[in-house]
Amino acid sequence: MADPHRTTYHFQPAANWMNDPNGLIQWKGQYHLFYQYNPLGAFHHKIHCGHAVSTDLVHWTELPVALEPTPGGPDEDGCWSGCAVNDAGVPTLIYTGTQASWQHACIATSVDDLLTWQKYPGNPVIAAPPAGLDLEGFRDHSAWKEGDTWYQVIGAGIKGVGGTALLYRSPDLRTWEYLHPLCTGDKRRTEPIWTGSMWECPDFFRLGDRQVLIVSVWDQEELYYPAYATGRYAGHRFMPEQEGMVDLGRSFYAPQSFADDRGRRIMFGWLREGRGGEAQRAAGWSGVMSLPRVLSLRPDGTLGMEPAPELRVLRGKHHHWSAIDVTPDSSPPLEEVHGAHREFVAELDVCVASVFGLRVRCAPDGAEETLIVFSPAERQLRIDRTHSSLSPDADDAPRGGMVDLGESERLKLNVFLDGSVVEVFANGRSCLTERIYPTRSDSLGLGLLARGGRARLSALDIWEMGEARSCYK
Ligand code: DQQ
């Protein structure tokens, strides 16, 4: 029987462990997705660089592994996260080689349109962190070119201070000179968001008339969430102006973005599991890639995020309702659209209710159900997983945060349900992604809920989603 927790339209390899997206690049019309991958099983170990391609961001073909650790080499214990650049026609990966406790920058190039990769014999190109800094971690790369000069930032933490992105420059991607921290956080500061003691996977890019820095917040061996800052970049220093969460959940992590040939900035993130290691090994797989998110800069300097419109190709049978009233005692029956792989668009018109929500993956007797709920007074969007799974192993922590709606702005939810993934986009700017593991094969029900009053939806659209099965070579 097919594994009900696997996705049918989010990318995931056929089996084994996957984590961060790496080296995202569009090359000769094809989108390339590299990712952290362990071909030996569903656990993080001796990480290789997996590879998949797509012509539409939706249907992916898994290709042979792009990089594997070289015994005795500077990446013998893992080819960790990095980015891809076009070096005057030469595709080049900049990644972190790990060797025991060492983390150092390595590069590899391809002469056959990214299919096979040759490691630079002079690796590592940056053998050690800069002298004089007491650092926690030294890994993950975001590179760009200014004139004839390459720049990159490497994620780290300055002990006792906070996360940092260390700036380097190079004439040729092979010799690098350390400049200074591009930007450093303060681990004691909690507002507007806490950014931990070390930053993984920095991603630094231009968006509109601002520069954006996204980092994944790490602290004492724990992975938290990606945070973003938009601001000014001058004198090779970054001055944040607006800061926020990239996703209000705790599954989406280590995102990376790239510019496509239409000038869009597209981001993918790793959707971490919400169940224990044993369950992951037993399933034979771990990790899912998020849907592609198109980024934009909003007028107030915050980050906008929408699902890539290419995903609409997956929309199958369509169900539409308009002007729906939901009260604590009655809501329209949605039996005909039950399922585990659906897209919803719900537009809230009037909400007198204290809580409005969608119920997904519900068992007929209510033993399992997941709630995606919005409280208008606090403008809080949450996923309530208290009853998502009868399994004691499944993470049931509530997750969520504020969707900062304007005075007369109405909530518009775009929800993607795909096996164990719930990925929510709210009003083109807030995302909330979590993993759920219903145990019962009949936990497929969908519904609406209102508490403490009436809610009216101006429209509800639900699509049965087609499969974007990856092909395997
Ligand atoms: N994953 C990689 C690291 C990175 C971390 C290792 C973030 O390079 O810091 O698999 O999830």
Side-chain angles (χ1 to χ4, degrees), residues 52-72:
V53 286
S54 168
T55 53
D56 66 358
L57 290 171
V58 177
H59 300 86
W60 293 94
T61 300
E62 204 179 334
L63 294 177
V65 157
L67 293 174
E68 60 182 41
T70 299

Side-chain angles (χ1 to χ4, degrees), residues 17 19-20 36 44 47 80-81 96 139-140 198 200-201 223 253-254 270:
W17 171 275
N19 58 303
D20 318 350
Q36 298 278 285
H44 189 272
I47 289 296
W80 283 16
S81 285
T96 298
R139 58 180 178 270
D140 312 335
M198 190 258 159
E200 297 190 302
C201 300
L223 315 185
Y253 194 76
W270 163 39

Side-chain angles (χ1 to χ4, degrees), residues 1-249:
M1 204 184 83
D3 179 342
H5 302 314
R6 279 186 69 85
T7 61
T8 59
Y9 61 91
H10 284 71
F11 173 76
Q12 50 182 154
N16 305 316
W17 171 275
M18 179 191 73
N19 58 303
D20 318 350
N22 294 156
L24 300 176
I25 193 166
Q26 193 181 20
W27 194 269
K28 296 188 179 167
Q30 282 199 313
Y31 295 103
H32 290 260
L33 169 63
F34 298 90
Y35 47 88
Q36 298 278 285
Y37 179 60
N38 175 15
L40 297 179
F43 49 94
H44 189 272
H45 179 68
K46 293 248 184 212
I47 289 296
H48 293 46
C49 181
H51 185 192
V53 286
S54 168
T55 53
D56 66 358
L57 290 171
V58 177
H59 300 86
W60 293 94
T61 300
E62 204 179 334
L63 294 177
V65 157
L67 293 174
E68 60 182 41
T70 299
D75 60 9
E76 68 175 343
D77 290 317
C79 300
W80 283 16
S81 285
C83 61
V85 293
N86 180 345
D87 182 18
V90 180
T92 305
L93 286 172
I94 308 174
Y95 67 99
T96 298
T98 65
Q99 196 175 24
S101 61
W102 284 96
Q103 300 178 345
H104 26 221
C106 296
I107 65 172
T109 54
S110 173
V111 290
D112 56 3
D113 289 334
L114 291 72
L115 194 59
T116 60
W117 292 83
Q118 290 71 50
K119 294 178 187 174
Y120 176 54
N123 278 341
V125 292
I126 303 173
L133 283 177
D134 190 12
L135 295 181
E136 176 95 73
F138 181 61
R139 58 180 178 270
D140 312 335
H141 312 264
S142 175
W144 66 94
K145 205 170 187 184
E146 293 176 30
D148 290 334
T149 305
W150 286 101
Y151 289 84
Q152 70 157 312
V153 279
I154 299 179
I158 301 178
K159 286 189 185 157
V161 179
T164 190
L166 302 174
L167 182 66
Y168 285 77
R169 82 174 156 212
S170 166
D172 57 5
L173 296 173
R174 281 146 183 84
T175 46
W176 291 93
E177 175 195 3
Y178 172 65
L179 296 179
H180 48 250
L182 174 79
C183 176
T184 300
D186 175 354
K187 68 176 192 171
R188 286 155 312 191
R189 196 200 65 172
T190 54
E191 295 297 332
I193 53 171
W194 176 72
T195 60
S197 61
M198 190 258 159
W199 291 349
E200 297 190 302
C201 300
D203 190 18
F204 189 58
F205 55 92
R206 188 93 186 146
L207 194 64
D209 63 357
R210 292 288 192 284
Q211 200 73 24
V212 182
L213 176 65
I214 296 181
V215 298
S216 288
V217 172
W218 183 101
D219 194 86
Q220 298 187 34
E221 305 298 329
E222 189 145 344
L223 315 185
Y224 284 83
Y225 42 74
Y228 76 82
T230 65
R232 308 275 169 190
Y233 174 53
H236 295 113
R237 297 196 191 256
F238 176 63
M239 280 78 64
E241 291 173 337
Q242 287 279 1
E243 293 176 53
M245 306 276 289
V246 180
D247 194 288
L248 301 171

